[in-house]
Structure formats: structure tokens, C-alpha cells
Amino acid sequence: MTFSQPAPDAPFFVVINAASGHVDAEEVMACIGGIFDEAGRRHEFLQVLDPSQLSSTAEEAVKRAIAQGGVVVAAGGDGTLSAVAQAVHGRGPAYGVLPQGTFNYFGRVNGIPQELEKATRALLRARVQPVHVGRVNGRAFLVNASLGLYPQVLQDREKAKQQLGRNRWVAIYSGLRTLAGHVRQLSLEFEQGGKRRVLKSPTLFVGNNQLQLERIGIGEAAALDAGQLAGIVVRPTSFWALLWLALRGALGKLGDSDNVESFAFKRLSVSPHGARRAKVALDGEIQWLDTPLVFEVPEPLPLMLPLPEDRVEVE
């Protein structure tokens, strides 16, 4: 699929999540704005001061971009990038990214510089290219989606950080507490290609980022190049076995475990037994979605991809 290129002077509408607490929004805007001013490029910042306003702010950016032939730009971590991509997807405007998070899997896998100044200058010369995204029940995701144990880990970790502070040891402590207390096994009915099966598992993880999947050792990472998603299911197991699996993932050997099943797909329907709604993590952000959960590969996203000479190698 090809997309039309925005005009060389197309304005940028930059959504910046000042409520995330990870960046100094004023400093970030000063850096971006200075580079755009130097290049004579029209731009407008749309700040998100309340996390609950992220989606509506992204929608406003899309409306302005459509009206003025502009580009919607997301400045933030993977969660912010995902929310803005959801607003852009299928609507027409090109989508630009200025990574500001911790992992930045989406930006890194697409060769976007991680330094703000370099990323901003690269955006000025970038060209639209279609990139692969995933979708569940109409909600786009860039990196991953999951239900069960993983969303609970994320939710508990955020609560712990609010109470004890944001650092790595708080995150580790919270994760161990969740693993120790999470004994519920989900009964999941899968439908893929007209075939049905039922699996019990504490979690389902759907990956859409080759870099992340390679880092944890999942062989289906290569399937993303064929326009598919990667599903990962953990078989019912004990706390210590789950802890060992987490360590294997950190060492890049998760896919070698007998307790892990991974598979590639283009469309997958998942029905948790007895649940009308399910808690799903989309790129780290928690959503409640009606069941069944339908994971699929929709039309691509029109990403402003840096020119080859501006791209950085994946580290």
C-alpha cells in the first residue's frame, strides 16, 4: 500500500503528554519548537495535562491536520504513541514520532533517533511509509497487547510507583508481589482459521514489535515481516516457574521453554470463559474491552519514516 506524501511545508500538530511525569514538557517543546522555527516549519503543540484527555487531544490534532493538510506528531513513550496512532489510523494524515519513553520499541524498530534533537531534525526530512500495526476490537496497538497476568503486573506496578516512587526496585518488588499473588488461570477459547481450541493460561501476550520479540527470544518475530502478529501463551505453572520464565525472557530464551507456546496469526478470536469484558493492556495502557477479543492485522499506518541517512541502527 502507498500513501500520499504531505506537502514540504505541511504543518506539524504535536501531541505531547505533559501528564506522563517522564519528561519536562516545557523543555521538550522548547527544543522541538526551536528546530521547527529554524527550519521555517509551521507547528502547534497540543499539551495533555490530564491523562484522561489524551485520546480527545489526539482527536483534536487529527481534525486540525485534516483541515490544514498537516502531520500529526506524537511526543512521548509507547503508550502516548499508541493513543495518538489510534486517532490517526485510517483517517488520512501522516503520523510522526518523537520518542520520549523508556523502551521506545516502536521508534527504535523503525530507526528513529532516540535523541530529541536528532529525531526532530530527521522528522523534517522524513517520508511517509506504511508500517505494520495490530488491532484488537477496533483499538490499534504498536508494540503489544495482552490480557491476564501481564496487565495485572502493569496495574500493580503503577500503584506501587505512586505510593513508593518511580524507580527500578519498586517495579521489581511490585512485579514479584503480583507473581506471588496471581494464581488465577484463564480459560481461553481460541478461534483461528475456523478451528477452535481451549487453553488454560495465566496470560496471553500478542506481539507486534520484532525488536521486543527478539529480545525475549520468541522465534515468531520474523512472522511480523509477513504481516502477521505473534501470540504467546504460558501454560499453567507455579510462582517459581513463572519467575524462572521471567528470567528466561530477560536472557532472551523465553521461546525455548516447554511452558511457553508461541504462534503466528493474522486474525485470532479469544473468548475468556465466563467474562463479558476483559482487562487488556495495549502498549502498556489498561483498557476494558468487550469479549470476544478479536486480534487482527488492519491496514498499515502512514508513518513519517526518516531517510536512510537519518536512521539509527537498532541497539
Side-chain angles (χ1 to χ4, degrees), residues 41-278:
R41 194 65 169 267
R42 288 187 297 144
H43 61 279
E44 181 179 342
F45 291 105
L46 292 86
Q47 283 196 74
V48 179
L49 301 176
D50 181 337
S52 66
Q53 300 301 313
L54 177 56
S55 294
S56 60
T57 303
E59 286 288 339
E60 180 60 29
V62 170
K63 291 178 183 178
R64 297 187 191 187
I66 292 174
Q68 301 182 45
V71 177
V72 178
V73 179
D78 284 327
T80 299
L81 269 53
S82 179
V84 179
Q86 165 66 22
V88 171
H89 189 244
R91 303 279 294 280
Y95 175 63
V97 166
L98 297 173
Q100 292 289 294
T102 302
F103 298 107
N104 295 327
Y105 281 120
F106 182 73
R108 290 163 65 195
V109 82
N110 286 294
I112 297 171
Q114 300 304 290
E115 298 84 359
L116 181 60
E117 181 178 345
K118 291 182 179 179
T120 305
R121 295 190 186 281
L123 179 60
L124 286 166
R125 291 156 34 95
R127 303 285 290 171
V128 169
Q129 293 288 339
V131 296
H132 188 263
V133 298
R135 184 168 65 188
V136 54
N137 289 23
R139 301 287 303 180
F141 59 93
L142 303 178
V143 180
N144 60 58
S146 59
L147 67 150
L149 177 58
Y150 189 61
Q152 193 63 47
V153 167
L154 294 176
Q155 192 171 51
D156 291 348
R157 184 176 67 187
E158 185 59 31
K159 290 180 181 178
K161 285 182 176 180
Q162 291 175 2
Q163 296 172 355
L164 304 175
R166 293 183 177 274
N167 64 67
R168 183 177 64 175
W169 296 111
V170 170
I172 293 173
Y173 166 73
S174 172
L176 290 174
R177 283 194 61 184
T178 304
L179 287 180
H182 192 94
V183 295
R184 183 187 176 202
Q185 302 294 328
L186 301 176
S187 179
L188 303 174
E189 180 178 307
F190 291 79
E191 180 182 351
Q192 181 183 4
K195 298 181 179 179
R196 294 176 179 267
R197 60 173 177 155
V198 176
L199 291 175
K200 287 189 177 296
S201 173
T203 193
L204 167 67
F205 183 92
V206 176
N208 182 52
N209 186 277
Q210 190 167 8
L211 174 62
Q212 185 183 50
L213 293 172
E214 288 174 348
R215 289 289 168 86
I216 62 177
I218 297 298
E220 278 71 18
L224 301 185
D225 288 334
Q228 300 183 86
L229 299 170
I232 305 169
V233 176
V234 176
R235 295 187 175 89
T237 188
S238 66
F239 161 73
W240 293 109
L242 284 173
L243 191 60
W244 175 237
L245 288 177
L247 179 59
R248 292 183 69 91
L251 296 174
K253 297 182 179 181
L254 184 63
D256 297 336
S257 172
D258 292 336
N259 286 327
V260 173
E261 177 184 345
S262 58
F263 53 95
F265 66 89
K266 285 193 173 182
R267 189 179 189 278
L268 176 71
S269 176
V270 181
S271 299
H273 180 70
R276 295 183 177 180
R277 305 184 76 209

Side-chain angles (χ1 to χ4, degrees), residues 7-60:
D9 61 347
F12 291 126
F13 296 91
V14 184
V15 178
I16 178 168
N17 190 358
S20 68
H22 299 299
V23 296
D24 184 329
E26 294 298 329
E27 184 177 323
V28 170
M29 289 189 293
C31 177
I32 298 171
I35 294 171
F36 286 163
D37 286 338
E38 177 186 299
R41 194 65 169 267
R42 288 187 297 144
H43 61 279
E44 181 179 342
F45 291 105
L46 292 86
Q47 283 196 74
V48 179
L49 301 176
D50 181 337
S52 66
Q53 300 301 313
L54 177 56
S55 294
S56 60
T57 303
E59 286 288 339
E60 180 60 29

